[in-house]
Amino acid sequence: MEKKNLYIQTFGCQMNVQDAQKMAVLLEASGYGTTDDPAQADLILVNTCSIREKAAQKIYSQLGRFRELKERNPHLLIGVCGCLAQQWGDRFFRRVPFLDMVVGTHQIHRLPEMIGELERAGGRIAETGFCDRVGSLEIPAQPAAGAVSAFVTIMQGCNNFCAYCVVPHLRGREQSRPLPEILREIEALAAQGIHEVTLLGQNVNSYGRALAEETDFTRLLGAIGKLPGIGRIRFTTSHPKDLSPQLIACFGEIASLCEHIHLPVQSGSDRVLKRMNRGYTAEAYRAKVAELRRVCPQISITSDVIVGFPGEEEEDFRQTLELMREVRFDNLFSFRYSEREGTAAVGMERPVGEGVKRERLSVLQALQAEHTLEKNRDCIGRQEAVLVEGANPNGSEEMTGRTRGNRIVHFPGRSGLIGKTVSVRIVEAFPHSLRGEAEQRGGADVH
Ligand code: SF4
């Protein structure tokens, strides 16, 4: 079979990165090998994201750059996949006339068939239907050669319908993978040398709800915790309303479960949380944080906040800052609210002006920067187990890895440490990372 080149550009979340790896695995069987150079490609796939307005704008401008390649090579096929493809469907052809293919979020497994059809008969194809069972969920992603960590999709879709969010509209309802299938994938990853897995899903806490077998997320964690070779388990993302006492208890019971949770709060005001349809109060959130810290005092807690949701008053915003001061998140991802087509928040009364949103975001980010630095400084003097991921990308003669609490650590070391867990004493703290010194035991590195 003649070898052809595939170039994939991915925007947005880790779920999209996973999907891109699955596309590469799928298309390998159709004779496509990946290339880093779009100019060499026979097929370009743009894996899109529509969570933020900015991402969508970037995607259109990137597609504009590929127009010239298509003019030079009329045999080049260009397709869009992911959330924006799902949202726009065949309307994408009007906006980007040189496009050949629009592939919805439930249609990835049909890529080889669609490309075969385009190669044979030409024309254009848009497939955006939802399926009862997402075919691509079953395809194991292929981590990069030499990687020490891998992401494993355990479920996709969401039933929650937060008022601002497009995910249930574009990824469909929750679907979970059967537990034995996930375990087989992780065993295979461990056999390839993967030491750390991050379990992925829009709301991993509700894993297993729609499966025929009786299972849940805590059982999955327990089963992975027993697999040899997997020293670290992480997961993302969790919904606070579904964070059960049993799941919190796992942080005290499963040795390989890392001491970090990403628990998006979105607002510290009950009024705003209600309008967002989040299903919990600020008090309930605080109680879950307190319980997490009781079970696992060293746990890192990170979160997401949206500022300027319609109807957010100064008092609501003040309550968000108050919650941040109480919880002191280790890190926080914060965003200005922007409207998403098809969501319940579209057209809600009392929209917040862009200037006010910008101002609130900068106040909030300044506060979080203080907290993050304080939390990083608290690490000075501690001995941390660091899983070494590679050389420090800034080019110095240092290695880079992560603590179990998900902090980035740089330390002097050699490349032979990649993939090993090294005991590092933290000596310096920065806004986004730590610096340390590796502990030597009898001249040997700690594994
Ligand atoms: S739980 Fe998360 S993915 Fe689901 S609707 Fe809410 S924000 Fe979106």
Side-chain angles (χ1 to χ4, degrees):
M1 193 190 299
E2 189 201 343
K3 192 86 178 155
K4 290 171 280 185
N5 287 326
L6 163 67
Y7 177 80
I8 308 183
Q9 181 151 24
T10 292
F11 293 84
C13 63
Q14 190 58 45
M15 192 71 99
N16 268 14
V17 175
Q18 282 299 99
D19 282 348
Q21 287 180 4
K22 291 177 179 193
M23 290 173 203
V25 169
L26 259 180
L27 291 170
E28 209 179 329
S30 308
Y32 283 92
T34 51
T35 173
D36 293 334
D37 180 5
Q40 302 299 319
D42 301 285
L43 169 64
I44 293 177
L45 293 175
V46 181
N47 200 11
T48 64
C49 169
S50 69
I51 288 280
R52 316 249 164 255
E53 185 82 56
K54 246 196 211 160
Q57 285 160 1
K58 264 199 216 159
I59 289 158
Y60 290 123
S61 82
Q62 182 57 65
L63 279 165
R65 282 186 217 124
F66 293 145
R67 174 200 290 268
E68 198 196 325
L69 297 178
K70 181 85 175 175
E71 282 167 359
R72 267 194 268 145
N73 172 13
H75 298 293
L76 169 67
L77 294 176
I78 302 181
V80 287
C81 320
C83 286
L84 210 57
Q86 183 69 39
Q87 186 173 7
W88 279 76
D90 57 9
R91 288 182 294 161
F92 233 122
F93 294 135
R94 269 183 266 149
R95 188 146 188 181
V96 185
F98 55 89
L99 209 56
D100 300 288
M101 190 173 35
V102 179
V103 186
T105 54
H106 283 210
Q107 299 291 331
I108 290 170
H109 63 290
R110 293 190 52 218
L111 261 172
E113 178 192 330
M114 291 160 75
I115 289 162
E117 176 72 22
L118 286 171
E119 286 173 341
R120 255 191 324 276
R124 290 162 154 185
I125 302 177
E127 295 283 2
T128 54
F130 280 153
C131 310
D132 292 341
R133 190 91 209 109
V134 183
S136 59
L137 260 183
E138 325 296 339
I139 306 164
Q142 193 54 55
V148 293
S149 308
F151 289 88
V152 175
T153 305
I154 62 164
M155 53 91 68
Q156 84 158 44
C158 185
N159 296 350
N160 283 320
F161 289 92
C162 299
Y164 52 83
C165 182
V166 280
V167 165
H169 307 275
L170 302 181
R171 289 264 176 186
R173 303 296 174 270
E174 280 173 17
Q175 292 190 22
S176 297
R177 293 174 69 191
L179 190 144
E181 204 179 276
I182 298 170
L183 294 183
R184 271 197 297 278
E185 180 171 340
I186 296 177
E187 277 170 332
L189 289 169
Q192 287 172 49
I194 293 292
H195 185 69
E196 175 183 86
V197 288
T198 302
L199 310 177
L200 266 191
Q202 266 88 22
N203 181 17
V204 291
N205 314 22
S206 57
Y207 167 79
R209 269 187 206 159
L211 284 175
E213 63 195 286
E214 201 184 309
T215 189
D216 66 13
F217 188 50
T218 58
R219 286 194 215 182
L220 176 65
L221 285 177
I224 300 170
K226 292 192 187 109
L227 293 180
I230 298 298
R232 290 185 172 197
I233 309 170
R234 302 185 188 279
F235 57 82
T236 191
T237 289
S238 299
H239 194 301
K241 82 174 162 56
D242 296 320
L243 181 65
S244 65
Q246 294 79 2
L247 179 51
I248 292 176
C250 288
F251 284 100
E253 291 164 359
I254 301 173
S256 48
L257 183 59
C258 287
E259 295 81 9
H260 170 231
I261 187 165
H262 185 69
L263 196 62
V265 66
Q266 306 301 7
S267 171
S269 153
D270 288 347
R271 237 173 39 83
V272 174
L273 287 171
K274 192 152 192 252
R275 283 167 76 88
M276 286 177 165
N277 192 30
R278 289 291 287 171
Y280 55 87
T281 61
E283 221 27 65
Y285 185 91
R286 284 179 174 93
K288 295 210 175 178
V289 166
E291 187 55 12
L292 279 163
R293 287 184 170 149
R294 190 190 67 73
V295 169
C296 181
Q298 67 279 36
I299 197 164
S300 296
I301 302 178
T302 56
S303 195
D304 296 338
V305 167
I306 295 171
V307 298
F309 189 75
E312 183 191 72
E313 305 284 352
E314 273 307 315
E315 174 55 20
D316 300 305
F317 180 61
R318 193 195 61 73
Q319 290 176 16
T320 299
L321 298 179
E322 190 178 293
L323 183 137
M324 285 171 62
R325 285 193 188 96
E326 282 171 41
V327 172
R328 288 179 78 238
F329 292 111
D330 292 78
N331 211 345
L332 185 78
F333 300 90
S334 47
F335 312 93
R336 273 183 284 147
Y337 169 75
S338 64
E339 224 171 52
R340 284 287 155 274
E341 186 184 301
T343 59
V346 171
M348 267 189 183
E349 287 169 4
R350 291 184 289 122
V352 178
E354 287 305 316
V356 174
K357 284 187 208 167
R358 255 193 292 277
E359 172 62 26
R360 287 181 188 166
L361 188 65
S362 84
V363 170
L364 183 141
Q365 289 182 336
L367 179 64
Q368 183 56 43
E370 279 174 33
H371 291 171
T372 305
L373 189 56
E374 279 168 25
K375 287 273 186 174
N376 285 352
R377 284 184 178 144
D378 289 347
C379 299
I380 294 175
R382 277 195 214 152
Q383 208 71 40
E384 293 275 2
V386 173
L387 177 59
V388 184
E389 293 173 357
N392 184 342
N394 77 8
S396 61
E397 287 185 1
E398 285 184 329
M399 289 291 110
T400 292
R402 275 173 204 269
T403 66
R404 288 175 58 102
N406 213 27
R407 288 188 166 79
I408 294 172
V409 180
H410 307 295
F411 67 96
R414 52 186 174 74
S415 60
L417 293 174
I418 295 171
K420 300 201 162 70
T421 302
V422 178
S423 178
V424 176
R425 195 172 64 84
I426 305 303
V427 296
E428 230 177 328
F430 306 101
H432 304 293
S433 63
L434 304 171
R435 173 158 292 120
E437 287 162 359
E439 186 191 46
Q440 303 285 316
R441 284 189 186 157
D445 300 309
V446 181
H447 291 196

